[in-house]
Amino acid sequence: MKAILKLLKTIFVLIALVLCIKGYNLFTDGFRIDKIYPKFNEKIQAFPLDEIDEVFNQNYKYLSKGCQTYVFESEDGNYVIKFIRYHRYQLPLWLQVINYNQSYKNKREFYKTKLLKDSLNSYQIANNHLKNETAAIYVHLEKTNFLNKKIQIADRLHRKYFIDLDNMGFVVQKKVCSFKNILNKYKKDEKELKILTRSFLYTTKDIYEKGFINDDYNCIKNSGFIDNKVIHSDLGSFLRKDKLNEKEIFEKEFMRYVRHFKKWAETNAPFLITYVDEEIKKMSDDL
């Protein structure tokens, strides 16, 4: 009986420990400062930032977590800085120490490396070609010596850290409103919804005309609204695609991208489904 009680106590302690760790991660969004320190492997050109004083002469506080970045908001509410979650691109600890299946380990390592390379290339595309369509201001993806800036960031627990920006990988954007929130705000206003939808579609068209697509599936969650314009706020899924000036490829890619928007429309504003199809057809006919 004593052995059973001892076992039950051990199990209870382990469960409590797991729940505490899980609860802490949920409360902090899993943020730790070591998760954003990079291993600079990719050599990507970086440039000085003209707006550096306005952007970096202020503190930043934790805002949210995305699939690829931790997001911090500036004190004046005008900017966000997105620190790349480099730990996502590393093998989990258990796989690093166990060599049982080397083939699987190699495949996972190849996948993680490719994922990082694709993400960095996407940030570079946004910075070099799509600033108007993404509200991007600056990307910093390699170690440099010209920023000479340290900023203070605070996490969800209000713990403060000083970050040497020359040694970090990050993206700076103008802070935008959530496209989803704006849609929900006007979901009973047919005229306003059509204006928002048209802006969303024509921003996407502008990206296609430059020879790029957004490979992200969740086009509502990862879009934003600023200066009366809908933009693509998530910068991690851009890639070059050939022959977008051909009608069939243009329409196929556009229809793929707006699927999630149409699902939202089915529930909230069914008239938008026909409107979206008609606008895409007009854009296609103008190619």
Short mmCIF file of all heavy atoms in Angstrom, two decimals, residues 103-143:
data_model
loop_
_atom_site.label_atom_id
_atom_site.label_comp_id
_atom_site.label_asym_id
_atom_site.label_seq_id
_atom_site.Cartn_x
_atom_site.Cartn_y
_atom_site.Cartn_z
N SER A 103 18.41 8.87 -40.44
CA SER A 103 17.74 9.28 -41.67
C SER A 103 16.62 10.27 -41.37
O SER A 103 16.49 11.30 -42.04
CB SER A 103 17.16 8.06 -42.40
OG SER A 103 16.44 8.46 -43.54
N TYR A 104 15.80 9.96 -40.36
CA TYR A 104 14.72 10.87 -39.97
C TYR A 104 15.29 12.20 -39.47
O TYR A 104 14.78 13.27 -39.79
CB TYR A 104 13.87 10.22 -38.88
CG TYR A 104 12.82 11.15 -38.30
CD1 TYR A 104 11.67 11.46 -39.02
CD2 TYR A 104 12.99 11.72 -37.05
CE1 TYR A 104 10.72 12.32 -38.52
CE2 TYR A 104 12.04 12.58 -36.52
CZ TYR A 104 10.90 12.87 -37.26
OH TYR A 104 9.97 13.72 -36.73
N LYS A 105 16.35 12.11 -38.68
CA LYS A 105 16.99 13.30 -38.14
C LYS A 105 17.50 14.19 -39.27
O LYS A 105 17.31 15.42 -39.24
CB LYS A 105 18.14 12.90 -37.23
CG LYS A 105 18.83 14.07 -36.56
CD LYS A 105 19.90 13.58 -35.58
CE LYS A 105 20.60 14.73 -34.90
NZ LYS A 105 21.62 14.25 -33.93
N ASN A 106 18.10 13.60 -40.28
CA ASN A 106 18.61 14.37 -41.42
C ASN A 106 17.48 15.05 -42.19
O ASN A 106 17.61 16.19 -42.64
CB ASN A 106 19.42 13.47 -42.35
CG ASN A 106 20.73 13.02 -41.74
OD1 ASN A 106 21.22 13.62 -40.79
ND2 ASN A 106 21.29 11.95 -42.28
N LYS A 107 16.37 14.32 -42.34
CA LYS A 107 15.22 14.89 -43.05
C LYS A 107 14.65 16.09 -42.29
O LYS A 107 14.31 17.11 -42.90
CB LYS A 107 14.13 13.83 -43.23
CG LYS A 107 14.46 12.77 -44.27
CD LYS A 107 13.34 11.74 -44.38
CE LYS A 107 13.68 10.67 -45.42
NZ LYS A 107 12.60 9.64 -45.51
N ARG A 108 14.54 15.95 -40.99
CA ARG A 108 14.02 17.06 -40.19
C ARG A 108 14.96 18.26 -40.22
O ARG A 108 14.53 19.40 -40.29
CB ARG A 108 13.81 16.61 -38.73
CG ARG A 108 12.72 15.58 -38.54
CD ARG A 108 11.38 16.11 -38.99
NE ARG A 108 10.97 17.29 -38.24
CZ ARG A 108 9.93 18.06 -38.55
NH1 ARG A 108 9.21 17.79 -39.64
NH2 ARG A 108 9.62 19.10 -37.81
N GLU A 109 16.25 17.99 -40.18
CA GLU A 109 17.22 19.07 -40.23
C GLU A 109 17.17 19.79 -41.57
O GLU A 109 17.25 21.01 -41.64
CB GLU A 109 18.63 18.52 -39.98
CG GLU A 109 19.65 19.60 -39.73
CD GLU A 109 20.92 19.04 -39.11
OE1 GLU A 109 21.20 17.84 -39.29
OE2 GLU A 109 21.64 19.81 -38.47
N PHE A 110 17.03 19.02 -42.66
CA PHE A 110 16.90 19.61 -43.99
C PHE A 110 15.64 20.47 -44.07
O PHE A 110 15.66 21.59 -44.61
CB PHE A 110 16.85 18.51 -45.05
CG PHE A 110 16.59 19.03 -46.44
CD1 PHE A 110 17.62 19.53 -47.22
CD2 PHE A 110 15.30 19.00 -46.98
CE1 PHE A 110 17.39 20.02 -48.50
CE2 PHE A 110 15.06 19.50 -48.26
CZ PHE A 110 16.11 20.00 -49.01
N TYR A 111 14.53 19.97 -43.53
CA TYR A 111 13.27 20.70 -43.54
C TYR A 111 13.39 22.01 -42.76
O TYR A 111 12.95 23.07 -43.23
CB TYR A 111 12.17 19.84 -42.94
CG TYR A 111 10.89 20.59 -42.65
CD1 TYR A 111 10.02 20.95 -43.68
CD2 TYR A 111 10.57 20.95 -41.34
CE1 TYR A 111 8.86 21.65 -43.42
CE2 TYR A 111 9.40 21.66 -41.08
CZ TYR A 111 8.55 22.00 -42.12
OH TYR A 111 7.41 22.71 -41.86
N LYS A 112 14.01 21.96 -41.58
CA LYS A 112 14.15 23.16 -40.75
C LYS A 112 15.03 24.19 -41.45
O LYS A 112 14.73 25.39 -41.43
CB LYS A 112 14.76 22.80 -39.40
CG LYS A 112 13.89 21.92 -38.51
CD LYS A 112 12.83 22.74 -37.81
CE LYS A 112 12.08 21.93 -36.78
NZ LYS A 112 11.04 22.71 -36.08
N THR A 113 16.11 23.74 -42.06
CA THR A 113 17.01 24.66 -42.76
C THR A 113 16.31 25.32 -43.94
O THR A 113 16.45 26.53 -44.16
CB THR A 113 18.26 23.90 -43.25
OG1 THR A 113 18.94 23.32 -42.14
CG2 THR A 113 19.21 24.83 -43.99
N LYS A 114 15.56 24.53 -44.69
CA LYS A 114 14.82 25.08 -45.84
C LYS A 114 13.75 26.07 -45.37
O LYS A 114 13.54 27.12 -45.98
CB LYS A 114 14.17 23.96 -46.65
CG LYS A 114 13.45 24.45 -47.92
CD LYS A 114 12.85 23.31 -48.69
CE LYS A 114 12.23 23.80 -50.00
NZ LYS A 114 11.23 24.85 -49.82
N LEU A 115 13.08 25.74 -44.29
CA LEU A 115 12.04 26.61 -43.75
C LEU A 115 12.63 27.97 -43.36
O LEU A 115 12.04 29.03 -43.65
CB LEU A 115 11.39 25.96 -42.53
CG LEU A 115 10.11 26.57 -41.98
CD1 LEU A 115 8.99 26.48 -43.02
CD2 LEU A 115 9.68 25.87 -40.70
N LEU A 116 13.79 27.96 -42.73
CA LEU A 116 14.44 29.21 -42.36
C LEU A 116 14.85 30.00 -43.60
O LEU A 116 14.60 31.21 -43.68
CB LEU A 116 15.67 28.93 -41.50
CG LEU A 116 16.52 30.15 -41.14
CD1 LEU A 116 15.71 31.19 -40.37
CD2 LEU A 116 17.76 29.73 -40.35
N LYS A 117 15.44 29.32 -44.56
CA LYS A 117 15.88 30.00 -45.79
C LYS A 117 14.69 30.62 -46.51
O LYS A 117 14.77 31.77 -46.97
CB LYS A 117 16.60 29.02 -46.70
CG LYS A 117 17.18 29.66 -47.95
CD LYS A 117 17.98 28.66 -48.76
CE LYS A 117 18.59 29.33 -49.99
NZ LYS A 117 19.41 28.39 -50.80
N ASP A 118 13.59 29.88 -46.62
CA ASP A 118 12.40 30.41 -47.30
C ASP A 118 11.83 31.62 -46.56
O ASP A 118 11.39 32.59 -47.19
CB ASP A 118 11.33 29.32 -47.41
CG ASP A 118 11.71 28.22 -48.39
OD1 ASP A 118 12.65 28.42 -49.19
OD2 ASP A 118 11.07 27.16 -48.37
N SER A 119 11.83 31.56 -45.25
CA SER A 119 11.30 32.68 -44.46
C SER A 119 12.16 33.93 -44.63
O SER A 119 11.64 35.03 -44.84
CB SER A 119 11.24 32.30 -42.98
OG SER A 119 10.32 31.24 -42.77
N LEU A 120 13.47 33.78 -44.56
CA LEU A 120 14.37 34.92 -44.73
C LEU A 120 14.25 35.51 -46.12
O LEU A 120 14.25 36.74 -46.29
CB LEU A 120 15.81 34.50 -44.45
CG LEU A 120 16.13 34.03 -43.03
CD1 LEU A 120 17.62 33.74 -42.89
CD2 LEU A 120 15.69 35.04 -41.99
N ASN A 121 14.13 34.65 -47.12
CA ASN A 121 13.95 35.15 -48.49
C ASN A 121 12.65 35.93 -48.62
O ASN A 121 12.58 36.93 -49.34
CB ASN A 121 13.98 33.99 -49.48
CG ASN A 121 15.38 33.45 -49.72
OD1 ASN A 121 16.37 34.14 -49.48
ND2 ASN A 121 15.46 32.22 -50.18
N SER A 122 11.61 35.46 -47.93
CA SER A 122 10.32 36.14 -47.98
C SER A 122 10.41 37.53 -47.35
O SER A 122 9.88 38.51 -47.89
CB SER A 122 9.25 35.31 -47.25
OG SER A 122 8.01 35.98 -47.27
N TYR A 123 11.10 37.63 -46.21
CA TYR A 123 11.29 38.94 -45.58
C TYR A 123 12.04 39.88 -46.52
O TYR A 123 11.72 41.08 -46.61
CB TYR A 123 12.07 38.81 -44.28
CG TYR A 123 11.38 37.98 -43.22
CD1 TYR A 123 12.11 37.11 -42.40
CD2 TYR A 123 10.01 38.06 -43.03
CE1 TYR A 123 11.48 36.35 -41.43
CE2 TYR A 123 9.38 37.30 -42.06
CZ TYR A 123 10.12 36.45 -41.27
OH TYR A 123 9.50 35.70 -40.31
N GLN A 124 13.03 39.33 -47.22
CA GLN A 124 13.81 40.16 -48.14
C GLN A 124 12.96 40.63 -49.32
O GLN A 124 13.08 41.77 -49.77
CB GLN A 124 15.02 39.36 -48.64
CG GLN A 124 16.11 40.18 -49.28
CD GLN A 124 16.92 40.96 -48.25
OE1 GLN A 124 16.63 40.91 -47.06
NE2 GLN A 124 17.90 41.69 -48.71
N ILE A 125 12.07 39.77 -49.81
CA ILE A 125 11.16 40.15 -50.89
C ILE A 125 10.27 41.31 -50.43
O ILE A 125 10.08 42.30 -51.14
CB ILE A 125 10.30 38.95 -51.32
CG1 ILE A 125 11.14 37.95 -52.12
CG2 ILE A 125 9.10 39.40 -52.15
CD1 ILE A 125 10.44 36.62 -52.38
N ALA A 126 9.72 41.18 -49.23
CA ALA A 126 8.85 42.24 -48.71
C ALA A 126 9.60 43.56 -48.57
O ALA A 126 9.09 44.62 -48.93
CB ALA A 126 8.28 41.82 -47.35
N ASN A 127 10.83 43.48 -48.09
CA ASN A 127 11.61 44.70 -47.88
C ASN A 127 12.03 45.35 -49.19
O ASN A 127 12.00 46.57 -49.33
CB ASN A 127 12.86 44.36 -47.06
CG ASN A 127 13.67 45.59 -46.69
OD1 ASN A 127 13.20 46.43 -45.94
ND2 ASN A 127 14.87 45.70 -47.22
N ASN A 128 12.39 44.54 -50.17
CA ASN A 128 12.93 45.08 -51.43
C ASN A 128 11.86 45.45 -52.45
O ASN A 128 12.09 46.32 -53.29
CB ASN A 128 13.89 44.07 -52.06
CG ASN A 128 15.15 43.88 -51.25
OD1 ASN A 128 15.42 44.64 -50.33
ND2 ASN A 128 15.91 42.85 -51.56
N HIS A 129 10.70 44.77 -52.40
CA HIS A 129 9.73 44.92 -53.48
C HIS A 129 8.31 45.27 -53.03
O HIS A 129 7.53 45.77 -53.85
CB HIS A 129 9.65 43.62 -54.30
CG HIS A 129 10.97 43.16 -54.83
ND1 HIS A 129 11.57 43.74 -55.93
CD2 HIS A 129 11.80 42.17 -54.42
CE1 HIS A 129 12.71 43.13 -56.19
NE2 HIS A 129 12.87 42.17 -55.28
N LEU A 130 7.96 45.01 -51.77
CA LEU A 130 6.54 45.07 -51.39
C LEU A 130 6.28 45.95 -50.17
O LEU A 130 5.36 45.68 -49.40
CB LEU A 130 6.03 43.64 -51.11
CG LEU A 130 6.21 42.61 -52.23
CD1 LEU A 130 5.75 41.24 -51.76
CD2 LEU A 130 5.45 43.03 -53.48
N LYS A 131 7.02 47.00 -50.01
CA LYS A 131 6.82 47.85 -48.83
C LYS A 131 5.44 48.48 -48.80
O LYS A 131 4.79 48.56 -47.75
CB LYS A 131 7.90 48.92 -48.76
CG LYS A 131 9.25 48.37 -48.31
CD LYS A 131 10.25 49.48 -48.06
CE LYS A 131 11.52 48.90 -47.45
NZ LYS A 131 12.54 49.93 -47.18
N ASN A 132 4.95 48.93 -49.95
CA ASN A 132 3.62 49.54 -49.99
C ASN A 132 2.51 48.54 -49.72
O ASN A 132 1.44 48.90 -49.23
CB ASN A 132 3.38 50.19 -51.36
CG ASN A 132 4.23 51.43 -51.57
OD1 ASN A 132 4.62 52.09 -50.62
ND2 ASN A 132 4.52 51.74 -52.83
N GLU A 133 2.76 47.29 -50.06
CA GLU A 133 1.74 46.25 -49.90
C GLU A 133 1.81 45.56 -48.54
O GLU A 133 0.93 44.76 -48.20
CB GLU A 133 1.89 45.20 -51.00
CG GLU A 133 1.62 45.71 -52.41
CD GLU A 133 2.82 46.40 -53.05
OE1 GLU A 133 3.93 46.36 -52.45
OE2 GLU A 133 2.66 46.98 -54.12
N THR A 134 2.85 45.84 -47.75
CA THR A 134 3.04 45.13 -46.48
C THR A 134 3.26 46.04 -45.28
O THR A 134 3.34 45.54 -44.15
CB THR A 134 4.25 44.19 -46.58
OG1 THR A 134 5.43 44.97 -46.83
CG2 THR A 134 4.08 43.17 -47.70
N ALA A 135 3.40 47.34 -45.50
CA ALA A 135 3.74 48.30 -44.43
C ALA A 135 5.10 47.99 -43.83
O ALA A 135 5.39 48.36 -42.68
CB ALA A 135 2.66 48.32 -43.35
N ALA A 136 5.94 47.28 -44.58
CA ALA A 136 7.30 46.98 -44.10
C ALA A 136 8.16 48.23 -44.15
O ALA A 136 8.07 49.03 -45.09
CB ALA A 136 7.93 45.88 -44.95
N ILE A 137 8.97 48.40 -43.14
CA ILE A 137 9.91 49.52 -43.08
C ILE A 137 11.35 49.04 -43.24
O ILE A 137 12.14 49.62 -43.97
CB ILE A 137 9.76 50.28 -41.75
CG1 ILE A 137 8.38 50.95 -41.69
CG2 ILE A 137 10.86 51.34 -41.59
CD1 ILE A 137 8.11 51.62 -40.36
N TYR A 138 11.66 47.92 -42.59
CA TYR A 138 13.05 47.49 -42.57
C TYR A 138 13.14 46.03 -42.14
O TYR A 138 12.36 45.58 -41.29
CB TYR A 138 13.83 48.36 -41.57
CG TYR A 138 15.32 48.12 -41.54
CD1 TYR A 138 16.11 48.41 -42.64
CD2 TYR A 138 15.92 47.62 -40.39
CE1 TYR A 138 17.48 48.22 -42.59
CE2 TYR A 138 17.30 47.42 -40.34
CZ TYR A 138 18.07 47.72 -41.45
OH TYR A 138 19.42 47.52 -41.40
N VAL A 139 14.08 45.30 -42.72
CA VAL A 139 14.41 43.96 -42.23
C VAL A 139 15.90 43.91 -41.95
O VAL A 139 16.71 44.54 -42.63
CB VAL A 139 14.01 42.84 -43.22
CG1 VAL A 139 12.52 42.86 -43.51
CG2 VAL A 139 14.82 42.92 -44.51
N HIS A 140 16.25 43.16 -40.92
CA HIS A 140 17.66 43.03 -40.51
C HIS A 140 17.90 41.54 -40.27
O HIS A 140 17.44 40.99 -39.28
CB HIS A 140 17.90 43.84 -39.25
CG HIS A 140 19.33 43.83 -38.79
ND1 HIS A 140 19.82 42.90 -37.91
CD2 HIS A 140 20.37 44.64 -39.11
CE1 HIS A 140 21.11 43.14 -37.69
NE2 HIS A 140 21.46 44.20 -38.40
N LEU A 141 18.61 40.91 -41.19
CA LEU A 141 18.70 39.45 -41.20
C LEU A 141 20.13 38.93 -41.11
O LEU A 141 20.36 37.74 -41.28
CB LEU A 141 18.03 38.90 -42.47
CG LEU A 141 16.58 39.33 -42.69
CD1 LEU A 141 16.07 38.82 -44.03
CD2 LEU A 141 15.69 38.83 -41.57
N GLU A 142 21.08 39.81 -40.85
CA GLU A 142 22.45 39.36 -40.67
C GLU A 142 23.13 40.24 -39.64
O GLU A 142 22.65 41.34 -39.32
CB GLU A 142 23.23 39.42 -41.99
CG GLU A 142 23.39 40.82 -42.53
CD GLU A 142 24.24 40.86 -43.79
OE1 GLU A 142 24.73 39.80 -44.22
OE2 GLU A 142 24.39 41.95 -44.35
N LYS A 143 24.24 39.76 -39.11
CA LYS A 143 24.97 40.55 -38.12
C LYS A 143 25.59 41.76 -38.80
O LYS A 143 26.19 41.65 -39.87
CB LYS A 143 26.05 39.69 -37.48
CG LYS A 143 26.73 40.35 -36.29
CD LYS A 143 27.64 39.38 -35.58
CE LYS A 143 28.26 40.02 -34.34
NZ LYS A 143 29.11 39.08 -33.59
#
